[in-house]
Amino acid sequence: MSKRIITGATTIILLLFAVFWLFWPSEEDRIGEQFDELSGLASKTEDSSPFSDALVLKDIVNLFTEHVTLKTGSRKRLSGGYTSHELAQLYVRLRVSAKTIDLRFDDLEFQEINRDDAKVTARVKVMGMDKRGQKHSESFHAEVLLQKREGDWRFTSFTYLGP
């Protein structure tokens, strides 16, 4: 009887471990969730309120490392280094001046994932409408660097690669 109990307990433990392993998100899944989170926070609908614009500031700061670098190609006015708070404030100013914003990251390609950093290329699609009703859109490839801080992946650098 004790052999059956030991065998049964071992089987249950192995089965639980296998189920846990299968459903635990991979690093690629966790990084993809960060891109989804940034898309969701950065996007704005026409019916969003000024209060929701202010709440975005707190949440968006947590997606970036303390220092963030933007390399924007021909758009030199945005290139440079920012603290996460400066970048969030810059975005909130953009958000307040826009009627709608839709940010999407498509075709994620994981170039490199190490223990504490990752390199991903993606197609970035940005569409929006300003307060005067003029529509703007842009689509380009970017290289994105992330670092793992306190167990969470955070964005640290965005480099424009071209259309």
Side-chain angles (χ1 to χ4, degrees):
M1 172 125 166
S2 65
K3 285 186 179 182
R4 289 192 327 198
I5 292 173
I6 291 172
T7 304
T10 303
T11 303
I12 290 172
I13 290 171
L14 289 175
L15 185 62
L16 288 173
F17 181 72
V19 168
F20 180 73
W21 183 260
L22 287 173
F23 290 106
W24 187 262
S26 69
E27 293 301 321
E28 288 182 1
D29 292 338
R30 294 178 69 206
I31 291 169
E33 289 172 4
Q34 289 299 93
F35 279 96
D36 292 343
E37 181 78 14
L38 180 57
S39 294
L41 287 173
S43 295
K44 175 185 178 179
T45 61
E46 284 188 55
D47 60 348
S48 68
S49 68
F51 182 69
S52 68
D53 291 343
L55 291 176
V56 166
L57 180 65
K58 176 183 166 267
D59 293 335
I60 211 161
V61 165
N62 294 327
L63 294 176
F64 298 97
T65 58
E66 184 58 38
H67 298 283
V68 183
T69 304
L70 299 180
K71 298 173 187 168
T72 57
S74 63
R75 290 167 177 72
K76 297 291 184 193
R77 66 180 190 172
L78 293 177
S79 287
Y82 298 90
T83 67
S84 57
H85 292 284
E86 289 171 338
L87 188 61
Q89 289 171 349
L90 179 68
Y91 174 70
V92 167
R93 284 196 298 265
L94 173 69
R95 186 175 169 97
V96 167
S97 67
K99 189 181 277 189
T100 63
I101 300 173
D102 183 28
L103 173 66
R104 289 184 304 198
F105 296 94
D106 295 329
D107 305 326
L108 297 180
E109 292 183 24
F110 297 89
Q111 304 297 320
E112 188 177 324
I113 300 177
N114 298 316
R115 184 172 167 234
D116 292 325
D117 57 1
K119 182 191 304 184
V120 180
T121 57
R123 170 151 303 277
V124 181
K125 294 180 181 178
V126 183
M127 294 168 276
M129 184 185 313
D130 61 25
K131 296 284 183 174
R132 296 173 296 195
Q134 292 181 327
K135 293 182 180 183
H136 305 274
S137 67
E138 189 169 358
S139 179
F140 58 91
H141 281 93
E143 177 184 85
V144 182
L145 302 180
L146 298 98
Q147 290 181 349
K148 192 182 267 187
R149 300 280 171 90
E150 301 167 1
D152 293 323
W153 287 104
R154 298 177 192 268
F155 297 102
T156 190
S157 174
F158 292 84
T159 302
Y160 175 85
L161 297 178

